[in-house]
Amino acid sequence: PHNVVRARIENSAAVTHAPPFDIDCSPCPLNPALKLTKNCSLSLESKAGCGLVVRVDFEGTVENTGDVPLFVRVDDDQAGPVLPLTLIFPGGRPVQLSGFYYPDAANGDITDPCEAMFSDTFTATGTSPLLADEVIEKITASCPLCPACD
């Protein structure tokens, strides 16, 4: 768990000599972390050849809240990639994310507009040459078709 530095100094003229020495270096603790936010909203659109369809718009942010620069990509499980591989430094401003998709059906194939819900999930994956493992963070947003149904 410790790094060891070994050094030896010699001079061919035999003027300078130093005994070998070791220095134990404690590993540098790294605390990688990502923070995601996500919101969604629904609208109905008239689409040629399809009639009236549901469109789910989403927005959010990804932020490096750790202490290691990370190469981050964010995917949405319904819309696909929303952020290509991007270097994000710790303590920087959150990176804005947005997109939309047309769902095939409501969650659980519910057809009652008062119960219909649409959900999707962001997955942020961060990597660094300094880390052995990926940093993964997920967040899901759910939007009802008719939020005011009683």
Side-chain angles (χ1 to χ4, degrees):
H2 294 279
N3 297 320
V4 176
V5 176
R6 297 186 196 278
R8 183 176 176 154
I9 301 171
E10 289 188 20
N11 187 324
S12 62
V15 175
T16 305
H17 289 283
F21 66 94
D22 291 345
I23 299 175
D24 287 334
C25 301
S26 299
C28 181
L30 300 177
N31 301 297
L34 293 170
K35 178 183 175 184
L36 282 171
T37 64
K38 189 171 201 315
N39 297 302
C40 61
S41 62
L42 298 178
S43 59
L44 298 175
E45 287 186 0
S46 177
K47 217 170 174 193
C50 294
L52 197 59
V53 296
V54 173
R55 175 180 160 147
V56 178
D57 290 278
F58 56 81
E59 64 180 15
T61 61
V62 62
E63 181 178 4
N64 184 344
T65 56
D67 58 7
V68 179
L70 295 171
F71 289 97
V72 179
R73 70 176 262 181
V74 179
D75 294 303
D76 183 275
D77 66 339
Q78 299 293 320
V82 292
L83 180 70
L85 197 60
T86 302
L87 180 59
I88 302 177
F89 290 96
R93 297 179 67 161
V95 176
Q96 300 295 316
L97 309 168
S98 64
F100 68 91
Y101 67 96
Y102 298 99
D104 294 329
N107 297 356
D109 292 327
I110 301 289
T111 56
D112 179 346
C114 289
E115 295 180 19
M117 185 74 67
F118 300 87
S119 300
D120 60 298
T121 301
F122 279 165
T123 301
T125 306
T127 60
S128 170
L130 303 174
L131 303 173
D133 299 318
E134 295 179 329
V135 178
I136 298 175
E137 187 68 31
K138 293 183 180 200
I139 190 169
T140 298
S142 298
C143 295
L145 179 59
C146 298
C149 285
D150 292 338

